[in-house]
Amino acid sequence: MELAAFPEDIRDVIIPEKSGVYEYQCLNCHKNWDIESLLYTCPDCGHVLMIEDQNFDRLKNISGARWHKIFNYRKLLNIQGLKGIFRYHEFLGAVLPVDDLVYLGEGHTPMIEANSVLQEMIGIRFYYKNDGQNPSASFKDRGMACALSYINSLIRSGKLSEVLAICASTGDTSAAAALYGSYLAPHIKTAVLLPHKKVTPQQLSQPLGSGAKVFEIPGVFDDCMKVVEALADQYHVALLNSKNAWRILGQESYSYEISQDFDFDLRSVAVIVPIGNAGNITAVMNGFIKFFNAGIIDHLPRIIGVQSHHADPVFKYYQQKDPQNRKFQAITVKPSVAQAAMIGNPVSMPRVINRVNQYDRLSGKENVFFVQVTEQDIMDWQIRANQNGHIACTHGGECLAGLIQAIKNKMIDNHYQVVLDSTAHALKFAGFQDLYFQDCFPDAFGITPKDELKNYPELISPENTPVPIPGQPLSPEKFQQFVEKTSTEIASCLQLKKRIS
Ligand SMILES: *Cc1c(COP(=O)(O)O)cnc(C)c1O
Ligand SMILES: [Zn+2]
């Protein structure tokens, strides 16, 4: 829609201007650092950073109702850079000029209500917000759009040239990094490090297809991460892991969208998020905190973090109820179908601890909870979800299993409406579905397929009848015979009743 057609009272703010004062803030020593250089950890104490807007309070000068109107009308703008996560520009990229924003179709993923079969099974109203419907088929695109927009702005203002972007990945970060990096060719080249045989074939094909340099490393993600950190410490590279605080900023858009999806009324809403490196749950909490502080939402939704029993360091930390006695311990992971979250030493753990405290304090009660689920439940519930119209990945299955666990633990009751994060597209993890259907899971997963959930293709090839072969067409009579025999066999398999005519 053209600018002149917007209501007069929001016309001057509908297209955001550069604003705000962003700084990296160390969560440990609380020092602030300039964003003109690429920093991943505090130069003084080595801790992780978050990006803070030193001038955040200006956003409170606009009333909540006015923000609602601005965000709702922004849906109608046809400005490329503002079509995705930067609809919320003031909250996640305010210092970036609109012309520098990179948009590849990320964000505004659909929130799909579960059908009546599933809702009756679970006994609660719930939705999947499908982040698999992002351009590289995972939520990582949200963070990458933000991180690459920032790098783009450094390039366009002459502060940076010839960037080598690098990341370690459980599969989806590298897919997103390679996609966004390739869009900014020739200024950016991308190199990704993957744990050998620990990403799915689809995930491996993505950075290869985008033209990135792909390295496979022995071990698991945690080992790759150490190598990438050594590279980022010693060489001129742009680190694109969620250690990079710009990634967190972009991923906050998930919370802004949920707020808007519920018309900014988040009373009795709960959001369930799978945890791996713990960047995403940090972002989800931080997004809601910012909207709450700006008066855009009046309630902080309940947050439930889910982990598999094969990769559960965050869950274990919070199992200790007395905060004084909590002590973080990295764990050794076991094979998990929630493979993108198969991380034993999450980089963002200090961020989680910091933001959970803040979230609970602002909520005036304990409002962030953690649950653990089994590999068996993850697979069973992923398949059940998808047999009822969803396209949930294994992590989406993990969230549904987590919902059931949270109800059992009385963290959620049926007054809640629940949003499950399907963090990637089901197709990325089709191999685990195959293992389930064919009952071929290696013992280490501990998964036994349920017969009623299995599915397999049936080959129908009628005997004693010629069948079509490419390049060797059948005669019309023989082809007719083939069609009749095949259709009769299928009708018999499906127990179809014959039409009376
Ligand atoms: C990265 C990823 C996760 C884990 O997110 P973190 O930010 O590392 O906690 C979960 N699911 C999918 C599909 C992912 O790609
Ligand atoms: Zn510090």
Side-chain angles (χ1 to χ4, degrees), residues 67-93:
W67 277 122
H68 301 171
K69 193 166 175 183
I70 293 169
F71 293 141
N72 288 336
Y73 272 100
R74 264 192 199 153
K75 290 184 183 180
L76 303 173
L77 274 180
N78 278 320
I79 296 174
Q80 179 88 10
L82 297 173
K83 281 185 168 294
I85 61 168
F86 291 105
R87 181 189 298 168
Y88 313 101
H89 182 263
E90 291 87 341
F91 290 82
L92 48 66

Side-chain angles (χ1 to χ4, degrees), residues 138-140 170 172 274-280 340-341 343 393 395 423-424 429:
S138 90
F139 75 80
K140 300 292 199 299
T170 52
D172 293 332
I275 306 176
N277 224 4
N280 206 35
I343 296 175
C393 65
H395 315 80
T423 44
F429 300 92

Side-chain angles (χ1 to χ4, degrees), residues 204-246:
L204 177 58
S205 80
Q206 290 187 286
L208 289 173
S210 296
K213 182 77 200 155
V214 177
F215 298 99
E216 294 187 288
I217 310 277
V220 294
F221 169 83
D222 297 291
D223 306 306
C224 278
M225 190 67 214
K226 290 290 176 229
V227 177
V228 145
E229 282 172 345
L231 286 167
D233 283 347
Q234 298 167 48
Y235 300 91
H236 285 288
V237 294
L239 178 75
L240 290 181
N241 280 96
S242 55
K243 201 165 196 182
N244 180 334
W246 292 92

Side-chain angles (χ1 to χ4, degrees), residues 457-499:
E458 215 167 309
L459 180 65
I460 308 284
S461 187
E463 278 167 33
N464 308 323
T465 304
V467 296
I469 296 170
Q472 299 173 32
L474 297 174
S475 69
E477 304 81 59
K478 288 201 168 133
F479 186 68
Q480 189 52 34
Q481 247 178 37
F482 163 78
V483 168
E484 250 160 50
K485 280 210 168 181
T486 311
S487 55
T488 308
E489 207 170 317
I490 290 174
S492 144
C493 282
L494 295 172
Q495 299 177 308
L496 300 181
K497 290 205 182 68
K498 198 123 198 173
R499 266 180 213 260

